[in-house]
Amino acid sequence: MTLQEVPVEQIAKNPNNPRQNVSESKIDELAASIDEQGLLQPPLVRPTDDGFELVHGERRIRAVESLGWETVAVNVEELSDADALELAITENLQREDVTPIGEARSYQMLIDEHGLTQAEAADRLGVSQADISNKLGLLDLPDELQDSILRKIITPWQAKELARVWGDYW
């Protein structure tokens, strides 16, 4: 891994980011902090044919973009698709604003794209196989319930209970 100053415009967003909803107010707060104290932790990118792909650090990149920075210091590392996905998932699972549905979709993507079992994915990500299994079960819920979880109207447990009780109506 090398630290490099690169043009912000050459950094493509990570299409597999588990965190789909990032609050603009949080970006503004981070931008204010970066403006005052500088960028304390460089984002991680991997090289691509046309520049770089963000592995993790989307909020930081969005914050420096909002500040009008033309270049940013990033850690550059050659990573396979599987390794980049694992790092993105691991980094983002520790964030409070990753939804259970976003987490489940990330697990499913890792399993599908890289031919892993739930147990193998759990070992690689440092989570329990039971947690992965429970989260993947959310993807079997009707779209209306998944949407309600995403919007934080109901909890995953409530959604599963609703599906159990009202399953015949979906």
Side-chain angles (χ1 to χ4, degrees):
M1 182 167 20
T2 61
L3 187 63
Q4 228 176 293
E5 189 83 14
V6 302
V8 174
E9 67 183 19
Q10 288 186 8
I11 302 172
K13 303 294 186 265
N14 183 344
N16 299 322
N17 189 343
R19 188 177 1 176
Q20 299 299 315
N21 301 319
V22 179
S23 161
E24 286 303 318
S25 64
K26 294 288 185 187
I27 299 294
D28 294 342
E29 288 173 17
L30 181 57
S33 173
I34 290 171
D35 193 36
E36 185 175 311
Q37 299 182 7
L39 185 62
L40 302 178
Q41 180 182 6
L44 177 63
V45 300
R46 65 182 184 153
T48 64
D49 290 340
D50 4 342
F52 302 91
E53 179 184 272
L54 190 61
V55 176
H56 60 72
E58 181 173 345
R59 287 183 337 114
R60 285 169 273 163
I61 292 297
R62 288 179 57 184
V64 299
E65 282 177 326
S66 75
L67 292 169
W69 289 18
E70 292 184 16
T71 63
V72 63
V74 295
N75 285 315
V76 180
E77 187 170 353
E78 289 283 344
L79 295 166
S80 69
D81 289 346
D83 289 340
L85 182 58
E86 284 177 43
L87 285 171
I89 292 170
T90 303
E91 169 78 9
N92 282 292
L93 289 180
Q94 298 168 8
R95 306 288 183 200
E96 64 189 48
D97 54 353
V98 175
T99 67
I101 297 294
E103 193 175 336
R105 289 176 181 160
S106 296
Y107 291 152
Q108 191 66 60
M109 187 183 321
L110 183 66
I111 289 167
D112 289 348
E113 290 187 11
H114 305 292
L116 301 176
T117 65
Q118 289 181 15
E120 290 168 334
D123 286 344
R124 290 172 83 161
L125 296 172
V127 298
S128 74
Q129 191 271 326
D131 188 45
I132 287 182
S133 179
N134 286 331
K135 292 285 178 7
L136 290 176
L138 298 175
L139 300 179
D140 294 331
L141 294 171
D143 291 342
E144 296 88 354
L145 292 177
Q146 288 187 40
D147 184 57
S148 294
I149 294 169
L150 282 168
R151 296 183 335 177
K152 298 182 180 179
I153 295 170
I154 60 176
T155 67
W157 179 85
Q158 291 168 325
K160 286 182 177 184
E161 285 301 303
L162 285 170
R164 186 181 64 76
V165 172
W166 294 98
D168 292 340
Y169 295 100
W170 271 294

